[in-house]
């Protein structure tokens, strides 16, 4: 199964993708995670990407498309954070068609802006295993430490207020048109992204099962 998760920053793409990965046994491919790993490893790609990410802007298409090519595999995947503009959507379509695969589902998580700002401002991530928390909605048992592995929790550089606002603007300008791209192809499924994580996941399961 090939699925795209669309939604603004903080809408819960990463959170839901982890559940989708387990439910349908598909790989979770997150361009944001891949870029952050490249930054940690100080690769050329990572160093270029960092300048854009710190400003809340999109990383150049060529770099991201090249990165994704080797990750979209025959056993299926859930794409989180890609495509992020119409050009990337076209590239994904071309990539799948060339391998005689097709996209099965496009799920768009809809969350109001005030809630997005609250979620992103309170997000904390484990440096070791990548587990995600929220200081208010999903706090770790011990402040600053991961429940899973004890690793140190950190706040992403782009989760500061001014960068969050910039990311939301970029979403409206660049990524919202991707909804139309998939809507005309009959693939877009809108999901209410407000509520408990498990409730939202149940909505996704219902949509995907209903469409099969
Ligand atoms: P990326 O890492 O993809 O970030 P994003 O799209 O901005 O999304 P986030 O990871 O911030 O949020 P999310 O929707 O995954 O929500 P999450 O589950 O974490 O991209 C970062 C940057 O990389 C971009 O700005 C760009 O520069 C670059 N980039 C990436 N892909 C690119 C591409 N294709 N092209 C060009 N550039 C690219 O949840 C957020 C918080 O909310 C967490 O604390 C979580 O615990 C909490 N939460 C989740 N669900 C709920 C709920 N139901 N109720 C309450 N809290 C919740």
């Amino acid at each position: 199964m090939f699925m795209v998760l669309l939604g603004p920053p903080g809408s819960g793409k990463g959170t839901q993708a982890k559940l989708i990965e387990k439910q349908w046994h598909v790989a979770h491919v997150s361009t944001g995670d891949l870029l952050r790993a490249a930054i940690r490893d100080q690769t050329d790609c990572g160093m270029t990407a960092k300048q854009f990410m710190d400003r809340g802007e999109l990383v150049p298409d060529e770099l991201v498309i090249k990165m994704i090519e080797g990750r979209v595999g025959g056993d299926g995947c859930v794409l989180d954070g890609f495509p992020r503009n119409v050009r990337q959507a076209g590239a994904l379509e071309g990539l799948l068609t060339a391998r005689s695969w097709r996209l099965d589902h496009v799920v768009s998580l809809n969350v109001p802006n005030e809630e997005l700002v609250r979620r992103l401002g309170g997000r904390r991530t484990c440096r070791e295993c990548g587990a995600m928390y929220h200081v208010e909605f999903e706090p770790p048992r011990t402040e600053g430490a991961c429940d899973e592995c004890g690793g140190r929790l950190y706040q992403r550089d782009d989760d500061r207020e001014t960068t969050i606002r910039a990311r939301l603007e970029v979403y409206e300008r660049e990524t919202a048109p991707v909804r139309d791209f998939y809507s005309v192809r009959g693939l877009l499924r809108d999901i209410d992204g407000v509520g408990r994580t498990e409730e939202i996941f149940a909505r996704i399961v219902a949509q995907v099962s209903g469409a099969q």
Side-chain angles (χ1 to χ4, degrees):
M1 177 184 74
F2 291 95
M3 185 192 294
V4 163
L5 267 185
L6 285 180
S11 56
K13 300 182 298 296
T15 303
Q16 295 299 328
K18 288 187 172 69
L19 300 174
I20 291 166
E21 180 180 31
K22 277 198 199 128
Q23 171 90 8
W24 283 287
H25 308 290
V26 290
H28 172 196
V29 179
S30 156
T31 40
D33 287 350
L34 292 170
L35 290 167
R36 280 183 289 278
I39 293 172
R40 262 196 314 276
D41 297 344
Q42 301 193 339
T43 65
D44 289 347
C45 159
M47 293 303 97
T48 306
K50 185 168 172 27
Q51 301 163 32
F52 293 89
M53 292 169 77
D54 284 349
R55 294 196 297 262
E57 293 170 10
L58 294 188
V59 171
D61 289 339
E62 294 68 27
L63 198 153
V64 181
I65 292 168
K66 192 158 178 276
M67 195 175 72
I68 207 86
E69 272 169 358
R71 306 271 169 175
V72 177
D75 293 334
C77 61
V78 52
L79 287 160
D80 154 14
F82 186 92
R84 246 182 162 94
N85 58 27
V86 170
R87 184 161 170 232
Q88 292 182 13
L92 176 63
E93 193 169 66
L95 188 87
L96 292 174
T97 307
R99 298 174 188 181
S100 304
W101 297 329
R102 68 181 171 84
L103 199 52
D104 299 289
H105 309 283
V106 177
V107 168
S108 177
L109 295 169
N110 303 328
V111 178
N113 271 14
E114 321 81 74
E115 169 83 5
L116 297 173
V117 172
R118 243 196 333 267
R119 286 187 188 180
L120 293 173
R123 172 168 53 191
R124 299 293 182 271
T125 311
C126 176
R127 271 203 197 285
E128 305 302 323
C129 72
M132 231 174 337
Y133 299 88
H134 190 282
V135 291
E136 189 185 336
F137 307 132
E138 214 185 317
R141 284 193 294 272
T142 308
E143 195 184 330
C146 178
D147 291 350
E148 310 284 328
C149 72
R152 206 153 49 84
L153 304 186
Y154 78 103
Q155 182 173 32
R156 268 169 49 176
D157 287 342
D158 60 351
D159 278 349
R160 319 277 168 186
E161 177 128 12
T162 46
T163 319
I164 291 173
R165 298 277 170 202
R167 286 159 66 201
L168 292 174
E169 281 170 26
V170 167
Y171 178 81
E172 280 308 316
R173 193 174 62 241
E174 306 270 347
T175 314
V178 175
R179 290 172 44 82
D180 296 335
F181 181 94
Y182 288 124
S183 182
V184 297
R185 287 161 175 75
L187 285 169
L188 185 71
R189 302 285 174 265
D190 276 303
I191 299 276
D192 177 5
V194 179
R196 287 188 302 114
T197 297
E198 311 76 55
E199 286 167 354
I200 298 161
F201 182 58
R203 290 175 202 148
I204 295 175
V205 172
Q207 276 287 353
V208 168
S209 314
Q212 275 170 349

